[in-house]
Amino acid sequence: VVSTQSTGGVNLDPIGKWSKVGLVVYNTSVPLGATPEYLAGHYMLQGASSFVPVMGLDPKPGERVLDMCAAPGGKSAYLAALMKNTGMVFSNDASKTRTKSLTANLHRLGVHNA
């Protein structure tokens, strides 16, 4: 994703030494939520603070995890990725309206265990 986005008018860097997957976007000439890579589920746009609870939990494949503030789906998708799409991620949100984006993002990202 980095090499594809870097050549497409996006200026980004790794988020820091504390995360192996996060990137900081400084500026972009393209709408990141409408690129072919985004639509194909190669990445999710979210704040850096969304990584912290997942990293702290450190889920393993086959475990069961509850995400009580799941929408729009970044944390649940990261949980599923670390769990290798095994086990179960229970993704819930207090806002029924926000669960639409949760469902759409989990489908787009190929999450099967939520």
Side-chain angles (χ1 to χ4, degrees), residues 1 21-23 25 32-33 35 37-48 50-51 70-78 98 101-109 111:
V1 171
V21 296
L23 299 169
V25 179
L32 293 179
T35 66
E37 296 87 1
Y38 178 85
L39 297 173
H42 294 200
Y43 63 88
M44 175 78 178
L45 299 171
Q46 67 181 14
S50 294
F51 287 110
K75 289 185 301 297
S76 287
Y78 190 27
R98 288 175 49 90
S101 63
L102 169 63
T103 301
N105 280 319
L106 293 180
H107 283 286
R108 181 180 60 80
L109 293 164
V111 174

Short mmCIF file of all heavy atoms in Angstrom, two decimals, residues 1 21-23 25 32-33 35 37-48 50-51 70-78 98 101-109 111:
data_model
loop_
_atom_site.label_atom_id
_atom_site.label_comp_id
_atom_site.label_asym_id
_atom_site.label_seq_id
_atom_site.Cartn_x
_atom_site.Cartn_y
_atom_site.Cartn_z
N VAL A 1 0.83 -1.19 0.00
CA VAL A 1 0.00 0.00 0.00
C VAL A 1 0.87 1.24 0.00
O VAL A 1 0.57 2.20 -0.70
CB VAL A 1 -0.97 0.00 1.21
CG1 VAL A 1 -1.69 1.33 1.32
CG2 VAL A 1 -1.96 -1.13 1.10
N VAL A 21 2.14 -1.14 11.64
CA VAL A 21 1.16 -1.05 10.56
C VAL A 21 0.63 0.35 10.30
O VAL A 21 0.11 0.60 9.22
CB VAL A 21 -0.04 -2.00 10.83
CG1 VAL A 21 0.42 -3.44 10.83
CG2 VAL A 21 -0.73 -1.66 12.13
N GLY A 22 0.73 1.26 11.24
CA GLY A 22 0.15 2.59 11.07
C GLY A 22 0.99 3.51 10.22
O GLY A 22 2.22 3.46 10.23
N LEU A 23 0.31 4.35 9.47
CA LEU A 23 0.96 5.35 8.63
C LEU A 23 0.36 6.72 8.92
O LEU A 23 -0.84 6.83 9.19
CB LEU A 23 0.76 5.03 7.14
CG LEU A 23 1.32 3.70 6.66
CD1 LEU A 23 0.82 3.40 5.25
CD2 LEU A 23 2.83 3.71 6.69
N VAL A 25 -0.53 10.28 7.22
CA VAL A 25 -0.71 10.94 5.94
C VAL A 25 -0.53 12.44 6.16
O VAL A 25 -1.29 13.05 6.91
CB VAL A 25 -2.10 10.65 5.35
CG1 VAL A 25 -2.28 11.38 4.02
CG2 VAL A 25 -2.31 9.15 5.17
N LEU A 32 -8.43 9.70 -0.22
CA LEU A 32 -7.98 8.38 0.25
C LEU A 32 -9.13 7.40 0.50
O LEU A 32 -8.92 6.20 0.50
CB LEU A 32 -7.13 8.53 1.51
CG LEU A 32 -5.80 9.23 1.31
CD1 LEU A 32 -5.07 9.35 2.64
CD2 LEU A 32 -4.96 8.51 0.29
N GLY A 33 -10.33 7.89 0.71
CA GLY A 33 -11.47 7.02 0.93
C GLY A 33 -12.15 6.59 -0.35
O GLY A 33 -13.22 5.98 -0.31
N THR A 35 -9.93 5.56 -3.25
CA THR A 35 -8.93 4.95 -4.13
C THR A 35 -9.29 3.49 -4.39
O THR A 35 -10.00 2.87 -3.60
CB THR A 35 -7.52 5.01 -3.50
OG1 THR A 35 -7.52 4.17 -2.33
CG2 THR A 35 -7.11 6.43 -3.14
N GLU A 37 -7.40 1.00 -3.96
CA GLU A 37 -6.84 0.21 -2.85
C GLU A 37 -7.76 0.25 -1.63
O GLU A 37 -7.97 -0.76 -0.97
CB GLU A 37 -5.46 0.74 -2.45
CG GLU A 37 -4.40 0.59 -3.52
CD GLU A 37 -4.36 1.75 -4.51
OE1 GLU A 37 -5.14 2.71 -4.36
OE2 GLU A 37 -3.54 1.69 -5.44
N TYR A 38 -8.34 1.43 -1.35
CA TYR A 38 -9.27 1.55 -0.22
C TYR A 38 -10.51 0.72 -0.48
O TYR A 38 -10.97 -0.05 0.37
CB TYR A 38 -9.64 3.02 0.00
CG TYR A 38 -10.64 3.21 1.11
CD1 TYR A 38 -10.21 3.31 2.43
CD2 TYR A 38 -12.00 3.30 0.86
CE1 TYR A 38 -11.11 3.49 3.47
CE2 TYR A 38 -12.92 3.47 1.89
CZ TYR A 38 -12.47 3.56 3.19
OH TYR A 38 -13.36 3.73 4.21
N LEU A 39 -11.08 0.86 -1.67
CA LEU A 39 -12.30 0.14 -2.02
C LEU A 39 -12.09 -1.37 -2.04
O LEU A 39 -13.02 -2.13 -1.79
CB LEU A 39 -12.85 0.64 -3.36
CG LEU A 39 -13.27 2.12 -3.36
CD1 LEU A 39 -13.63 2.58 -4.77
CD2 LEU A 39 -14.41 2.37 -2.39
N ALA A 40 -10.86 -1.79 -2.32
CA ALA A 40 -10.53 -3.23 -2.33
C ALA A 40 -10.21 -3.76 -0.94
O ALA A 40 -9.94 -4.94 -0.77
CB ALA A 40 -9.35 -3.49 -3.27
N GLY A 41 -10.23 -2.89 0.07
CA GLY A 41 -10.00 -3.33 1.44
C GLY A 41 -8.55 -3.47 1.85
O GLY A 41 -8.23 -4.18 2.79
N HIS A 42 -7.66 -2.75 1.19
CA HIS A 42 -6.23 -2.84 1.53
C HIS A 42 -5.86 -2.01 2.73
O HIS A 42 -4.81 -2.23 3.34
CB HIS A 42 -5.37 -2.43 0.34
CG HIS A 42 -5.49 -3.36 -0.82
ND1 HIS A 42 -4.55 -3.42 -1.81
CD2 HIS A 42 -6.41 -4.29 -1.15
CE1 HIS A 42 -4.89 -4.32 -2.70
NE2 HIS A 42 -6.03 -4.85 -2.32
N TYR A 43 -6.69 -1.00 3.08
CA TYR A 43 -6.39 -0.18 4.25
C TYR A 43 -7.66 0.45 4.80
O TYR A 43 -8.70 0.48 4.16
CB TYR A 43 -5.34 0.89 3.94
CG TYR A 43 -5.73 1.94 2.92
CD1 TYR A 43 -6.40 3.10 3.31
CD2 TYR A 43 -5.42 1.78 1.58
CE1 TYR A 43 -6.74 4.07 2.38
CE2 TYR A 43 -5.75 2.74 0.64
CZ TYR A 43 -6.41 3.87 1.05
OH TYR A 43 -6.74 4.83 0.12
N MET A 44 -7.52 0.95 6.04
CA MET A 44 -8.61 1.62 6.75
C MET A 44 -8.09 2.96 7.24
O MET A 44 -6.96 3.04 7.72
CB MET A 44 -9.05 0.75 7.94
CG MET A 44 -10.08 1.34 8.85
SD MET A 44 -11.68 1.19 8.10
CE MET A 44 -12.70 1.90 9.37
N LEU A 45 -8.89 3.99 7.14
CA LEU A 45 -8.52 5.30 7.66
C LEU A 45 -9.00 5.39 9.11
O LEU A 45 -10.18 5.15 9.39
CB LEU A 45 -9.18 6.41 6.84
CG LEU A 45 -8.79 6.45 5.36
CD1 LEU A 45 -9.67 7.43 4.61
CD2 LEU A 45 -7.33 6.80 5.20
N GLN A 46 -8.08 5.70 10.02
CA GLN A 46 -8.44 5.84 11.43
C GLN A 46 -7.36 6.61 12.16
O GLN A 46 -6.24 6.74 11.68
CB GLN A 46 -8.66 4.49 12.09
CG GLN A 46 -7.42 3.63 12.22
CD GLN A 46 -7.72 2.29 12.87
OE1 GLN A 46 -8.86 1.89 13.01
NE2 GLN A 46 -6.69 1.59 13.26
N GLY A 47 -7.71 7.13 13.32
CA GLY A 47 -6.76 7.85 14.14
C GLY A 47 -5.76 6.90 14.79
O GLY A 47 -6.06 5.73 15.03
N ALA A 48 -4.59 7.43 15.08
CA ALA A 48 -3.54 6.61 15.70
C ALA A 48 -3.99 6.03 17.04
O ALA A 48 -3.61 4.92 17.40
CB ALA A 48 -2.27 7.44 15.88
N SER A 50 -6.65 4.71 17.83
CA SER A 50 -7.44 3.48 17.68
C SER A 50 -6.57 2.23 17.69
O SER A 50 -7.08 1.13 17.91
CB SER A 50 -8.25 3.53 16.38
OG SER A 50 -9.22 4.55 16.45
N PHE A 51 -5.28 2.38 17.44
CA PHE A 51 -4.38 1.23 17.49
C PHE A 51 -4.10 0.78 18.93
O PHE A 51 -3.88 -0.39 19.20
CB PHE A 51 -3.02 1.55 16.84
CG PHE A 51 -3.06 1.65 15.36
CD1 PHE A 51 -2.91 2.88 14.72
CD2 PHE A 51 -3.21 0.53 14.57
CE1 PHE A 51 -2.92 2.98 13.35
CE2 PHE A 51 -3.22 0.61 13.19
CZ PHE A 51 -3.08 1.84 12.58
N ALA A 70 -17.41 -0.26 18.42
CA ALA A 70 -16.78 -0.81 17.23
C ALA A 70 -16.86 0.07 15.98
O ALA A 70 -15.97 0.00 15.13
CB ALA A 70 -17.39 -2.18 16.92
N ALA A 71 -17.90 0.86 15.84
CA ALA A 71 -18.04 1.65 14.60
C ALA A 71 -16.98 2.75 14.54
O ALA A 71 -16.64 3.32 15.58
CB ALA A 71 -19.43 2.26 14.53
N PRO A 72 -16.41 2.98 13.37
CA PRO A 72 -16.75 2.46 12.06
C PRO A 72 -16.04 1.16 11.65
O PRO A 72 -16.18 0.71 10.53
CB PRO A 72 -16.35 3.58 11.12
CG PRO A 72 -15.17 4.21 11.79
CD PRO A 72 -15.48 4.11 13.27
N GLY A 73 -15.28 0.54 12.54
CA GLY A 73 -14.74 -0.78 12.25
C GLY A 73 -13.24 -0.93 12.25
O GLY A 73 -12.74 -2.04 12.06
N GLY A 74 -12.50 0.13 12.44
CA GLY A 74 -11.04 0.04 12.40
C GLY A 74 -10.45 -0.87 13.46
O GLY A 74 -9.59 -1.71 13.17
N LYS A 75 -10.90 -0.72 14.70
CA LYS A 75 -10.38 -1.58 15.78
C LYS A 75 -10.79 -3.03 15.56
O LYS A 75 -9.96 -3.93 15.71
CB LYS A 75 -10.88 -1.08 17.14
CG LYS A 75 -10.25 0.23 17.59
CD LYS A 75 -10.67 0.66 18.98
CE LYS A 75 -12.15 0.84 19.16
NZ LYS A 75 -12.78 1.89 18.37
N SER A 76 -12.04 -3.27 15.20
CA SER A 76 -12.50 -4.64 14.97
C SER A 76 -11.73 -5.30 13.83
O SER A 76 -11.36 -6.47 13.90
CB SER A 76 -14.00 -4.67 14.66
OG SER A 76 -14.76 -4.42 15.82
N ALA A 77 -11.47 -4.53 12.78
CA ALA A 77 -10.72 -5.07 11.64
C ALA A 77 -9.28 -5.39 12.03
O ALA A 77 -8.73 -6.41 11.62
CB ALA A 77 -10.75 -4.09 10.47
N TYR A 78 -8.68 -4.53 12.84
CA TYR A 78 -7.31 -4.77 13.30
C TYR A 78 -7.28 -5.99 14.21
O TYR A 78 -6.38 -6.83 14.11
CB TYR A 78 -6.77 -3.53 13.99
CG TYR A 78 -5.30 -3.54 14.30
CD1 TYR A 78 -4.38 -4.29 13.56
CD2 TYR A 78 -4.79 -2.78 15.34
CE1 TYR A 78 -3.03 -4.29 13.85
CE2 TYR A 78 -3.44 -2.77 15.65
CZ TYR A 78 -2.57 -3.52 14.90
OH TYR A 78 -1.22 -3.52 15.19
N ARG A 98 -24.49 4.10 13.27
CA ARG A 98 -23.07 3.86 13.02
C ARG A 98 -22.76 2.41 12.68
O ARG A 98 -21.72 2.11 12.09
CB ARG A 98 -22.23 4.32 14.22
CG ARG A 98 -22.16 5.83 14.33
CD ARG A 98 -21.43 6.30 15.58
NE ARG A 98 -20.16 5.67 15.83
CZ ARG A 98 -18.98 6.10 15.39
NH1 ARG A 98 -18.92 7.19 14.66
NH2 ARG A 98 -17.88 5.47 15.71
N SER A 101 -21.90 1.72 8.92
CA SER A 101 -20.52 1.87 8.46
C SER A 101 -19.65 0.74 8.99
O SER A 101 -18.73 0.28 8.30
CB SER A 101 -19.94 3.23 8.88
OG SER A 101 -19.88 3.34 10.28
N LEU A 102 -19.93 0.27 10.18
CA LEU A 102 -19.21 -0.87 10.75
C LEU A 102 -19.35 -2.09 9.85
O LEU A 102 -18.36 -2.71 9.45
CB LEU A 102 -19.73 -1.17 12.16
CG LEU A 102 -19.29 -2.47 12.81
CD1 LEU A 102 -17.79 -2.50 13.03
CD2 LEU A 102 -20.03 -2.66 14.13
N THR A 103 -20.58 -2.41 9.51
CA THR A 103 -20.84 -3.58 8.65
C THR A 103 -20.18 -3.42 7.29
O THR A 103 -19.52 -4.35 6.80
CB THR A 103 -22.36 -3.78 8.49
OG1 THR A 103 -22.95 -3.97 9.77
CG2 THR A 103 -22.67 -4.98 7.61
N ALA A 104 -20.33 -2.24 6.69
CA ALA A 104 -19.74 -2.00 5.37
C ALA A 104 -18.22 -2.13 5.39
O ALA A 104 -17.63 -2.77 4.51
CB ALA A 104 -20.15 -0.62 4.87
N ASN A 105 -17.58 -1.55 6.40
CA ASN A 105 -16.11 -1.61 6.47
C ASN A 105 -15.61 -3.03 6.73
O ASN A 105 -14.62 -3.46 6.15
CB ASN A 105 -15.59 -0.65 7.53
CG ASN A 105 -15.54 0.77 7.02
OD1 ASN A 105 -15.17 1.03 5.88
ND2 ASN A 105 -15.93 1.71 7.86
N LEU A 106 -16.28 -3.77 7.61
CA LEU A 106 -15.84 -5.14 7.87
C LEU A 106 -15.97 -6.01 6.62
O LEU A 106 -15.10 -6.83 6.32
CB LEU A 106 -16.62 -5.74 9.04
CG LEU A 106 -16.36 -5.09 10.40
CD1 LEU A 106 -17.20 -5.77 11.49
CD2 LEU A 106 -14.89 -5.12 10.77
N HIS A 107 -17.03 -5.81 5.85
CA HIS A 107 -17.17 -6.53 4.57
C HIS A 107 -16.09 -6.12 3.60
O HIS A 107 -15.44 -6.97 2.96
CB HIS A 107 -18.54 -6.30 3.96
CG HIS A 107 -19.64 -7.06 4.60
ND1 HIS A 107 -19.82 -8.42 4.43
CD2 HIS A 107 -20.62 -6.66 5.44
CE1 HIS A 107 -20.85 -8.82 5.12
NE2 HIS A 107 -21.37 -7.78 5.76
N ARG A 108 -15.86 -4.80 3.46
CA ARG A 108 -14.85 -4.28 2.52
C ARG A 108 -13.46 -4.80 2.86
O ARG A 108 -12.66 -5.11 1.97
CB ARG A 108 -14.87 -2.75 2.56
CG ARG A 108 -13.89 -2.08 1.62
CD ARG A 108 -13.96 -0.57 1.73
NE ARG A 108 -13.66 -0.06 3.06
CZ ARG A 108 -12.44 0.08 3.56
NH1 ARG A 108 -11.38 -0.25 2.84
NH2 ARG A 108 -12.26 0.55 4.78
N LEU A 109 -13.17 -4.92 4.16
CA LEU A 109 -11.84 -5.34 4.59
C LEU A 109 -11.67 -6.86 4.64
O LEU A 109 -10.61 -7.35 4.97
CB LEU A 109 -11.55 -4.74 5.97
CG LEU A 109 -11.42 -3.20 5.96
CD1 LEU A 109 -11.53 -2.65 7.38
CD2 LEU A 109 -10.13 -2.78 5.31
N VAL A 111 -13.23 -9.10 6.64
CA VAL A 111 -13.30 -9.68 7.98
C VAL A 111 -14.41 -10.73 8.01
O VAL A 111 -15.56 -10.43 7.66
CB VAL A 111 -13.56 -8.59 9.05
CG1 VAL A 111 -13.77 -9.21 10.42
CG2 VAL A 111 -12.39 -7.62 9.07
#
